[in-house]
Amino acid sequence: MTDNDAEPPPSRDVFVQSLTNAQLGLLRYITALVGDPEAANNILQNTNLLLWQKADEFEPGTNFDAWATKIAYWQVKAYCRDRGRDRHVFGDTLVAQLSDRVEQMEDIDWTVGLLRKCLKKLQSKDRELIALRYDNDFSVQQLSSRLGKSPSAIKGALLRARRALRACVERQMVQEP
């Protein structure tokens, strides 16, 4: 077997898998920053080339998406600098602000995903109560009438369910950073 026939080292496989999994998120991120899907595709390709060139710098076990996103951010800044004379290209300050907003939106999406997991873990009566209150927008009084319980009992049950959800989400955040 020659060197060319050898299988890639496991760390390269991890890198390839991580890069593949990151493509859609990177494209969304870049598109949000530049507002032009065609330019975003070009920037993504440049980002991918740079990621491959820097593959040996990536440490398995660290957050690949954060590393790749930072490289994409600098590629967007380079694009904006190169296109700076075009009045349709965002400036550095706006790109930085948009980047922060996109990261906040990703954090919200991640947290909502954790909340959905935790909702599934609630007891069915608590899940039903939460759904009636927040999905159907029932007031405490309406819940009291519908479920035949006092308003204070409904408030207490909602409080316990919300606390259980919060504790679950916080545990998940620690387990899935």
Side-chain angles (χ1 to χ4, degrees):
M1 188 193 289
T2 66
D3 285 341
N4 292 342
D5 295 334
E7 290 188 29
S11 62
R12 185 63 89 176
D13 289 343
V14 169
F15 179 84
V16 170
Q17 185 65 44
S18 297
L19 181 60
T20 302
N21 291 341
Q23 291 302 291
L24 183 57
L26 286 172
L27 182 58
R28 286 179 177 162
Y29 174 77
I30 295 166
T31 302
L33 295 182
V34 297
D36 176 357
E38 187 175 325
N41 277 319
N42 291 333
I43 295 168
L44 177 62
Q45 295 309 313
N46 291 337
T47 300
N48 286 332
L49 286 171
L50 194 54
L51 288 167
W52 272 109
Q53 291 169 0
K54 294 179 173 277
D56 294 335
E57 295 175 25
F58 175 69
E59 296 178 32
T62 60
N63 188 334
F64 181 87
D65 289 339
W67 180 69
T69 300
K70 188 50 102 176
I71 289 174
Y73 172 78
W74 288 109
Q75 288 299 112
V76 168
K77 285 189 66 94
Y79 168 81
C80 291
R81 181 198 64 229
D82 294 346
R83 303 281 192 269
R85 291 179 294 279
D86 184 348
R87 63 186 172 94
H88 297 102
V89 177
F90 300 150
D92 285 350
T93 304
L94 183 56
V95 167
Q97 290 172 348
L98 289 171
S99 176
D100 290 343
R101 285 237 171 112
V102 169
E103 289 172 14
Q104 289 170 357
M105 289 169 47
E106 288 169 352
D107 288 346
I108 290 170
D109 289 343
W110 178 66
T111 305
V112 167
L114 295 179
L115 181 59
R116 285 191 177 123
K117 283 183 189 177
C118 291
L119 275 167
K120 291 178 183 176
K121 294 179 182 181
L122 280 181
Q123 294 180 6
S124 61
K125 65 180 176 65
D126 290 338
R127 216 176 20 254
E128 179 185 358
L129 184 62
I130 293 287
L132 288 171
R133 174 67 182 102
Y134 297 105
D135 292 344
N136 297 329
D137 204 26
F138 281 28
S139 69
V140 170
Q141 191 61 44
Q142 289 171 316
L143 289 170
S144 174
S145 297
R146 181 176 177 130
L147 301 175
K149 295 183 179 182
S150 70
S152 62
I154 296 295
K155 287 178 185 177
L158 282 168
L159 179 64
R160 286 187 296 278
R162 287 191 301 257
R163 283 182 178 164
L165 282 174
R166 177 183 293 144
C168 178
V169 168
E170 288 173 353
R171 278 192 307 274
Q172 294 292 322
M173 285 179 160
V174 171
Q175 292 172 0
E176 301 177 25

